[in-house]
Amino acid sequence: MKHPLIIVLLALILLASCNSEQKGLHDDTDLSIVIVDSIQMAYMGNLFPYDFDSNSGLYLGRWNNNEEYVFFDDNGKIVNRFKLPSEGPNAINWAMGVGFLNGKLTIMEQQKGLIQFSEDGEIIDKIPIPNNYFFFNGLNFPAYKLGKELAYSRPEREEFGSEGIDWDDLTNILFKNYSSPLIEVLNPETGTIRNTMLFPENTVYSTGQFFNVIPPNIIKFGKEWILFLLAEMKYFVYEVQDGEVEFVKAVDLQLENAIPMPGVPMKDYAEWYPQKGHIIFGKIEQLYRRDNDIIVIYTKGVDEEISKNYSPDNHTEWMDFIYNIPRFAAVFNQDHQLIQNDISLPKGLIWSSVVNNDGDILALKNQDYFGIEEDFVTYYKLNTLK
């Protein structure tokens, strides 16, 4: 459901609220990111958008609380909804990477490899990967095509031995996690695997400090692959060359006053949260690779003198504090040259990783932030305006 008048008013408000003194790097450039449209769905639940299929024009959403998957269109029409099987031989224990692969809903299952589903929720294909693997954390995609092969985030393997993993001391495996290739490639015909996409050099992860378990966020756009990491205020560009994902360059956001993520000695990894968990550091939250530009959503963090006044033990107060942390955008051209950074963004939005065919970014209206309880879900579409 679209509301043109509301959208125009919101766009004007957002334009007026942007910092007029922020001119970016070029005097003739003053970009804003504004709401250009919206989607409203009659759905009871916190439905988060995960992906968009450019061929069918359908969006994929998931309500994480009850593992319901929903296909919907630009008019807010629910095309189909279903839950994954939780019992029997096809039971899904943990759906990790979630998204479209060749137009089909695909998940990376913690034990069963890649599984594809129809729009009705029926399993239509199972693509096993070699056994004895595990992932430290969630994944931002299930798999990408790499020629005739399938590429997915590299799981841990070699540490599986006759005695299993020493979960009381993960120092060695964490060191390895900070230096090993990021992608595992499967040949579906032979079942053989190999690694590619080397971990970038000269990052904070090579200092011997612990910066939490890495969630490698990887975005594929044609032959270009982009990586961003939790503790780095830069992103890393790779390109496919002869079937390998090769490093090209690092791209710095060129920020001032961003609070770096703190680390602890690797051997003290278990102490990171007790010692540093209260620090609100700057980080990249989302990155969008579009036809002609790259948009990076980030926060600069919060000074400790401010954050220490809030306690995570008080959930309502803490979440209200987190929701109000300013988010900004940086825009780069297709050659990864910075056009403008520190572009102010509206509050009350939960930024998804979804970009549609028009280059619109999808963000979920955060009902908790606005203190409302609606019987529908609202997604805002945002785009750049000069």
Side-chain angles (χ1 to χ4, degrees), residues 185-198:
V185 182
L186 170 71
N187 184 322
E189 295 181 359
T190 64
T192 57
I193 56 174
R194 61 185 176 88
N195 292 333
T196 191
M197 197 174 189
L198 297 180

Side-chain angles (χ1 to χ4, degrees), residues 317-336:
E317 180 185 74
W318 180 256
M319 292 312 299
D320 184 60
F321 166 58
I322 296 297
Y323 292 150
N324 278 283
I325 295 174
R327 268 71 179 173
F328 302 93
V331 179
F332 296 80
N333 66 18
Q334 59 186 344
D335 296 320
H336 303 284

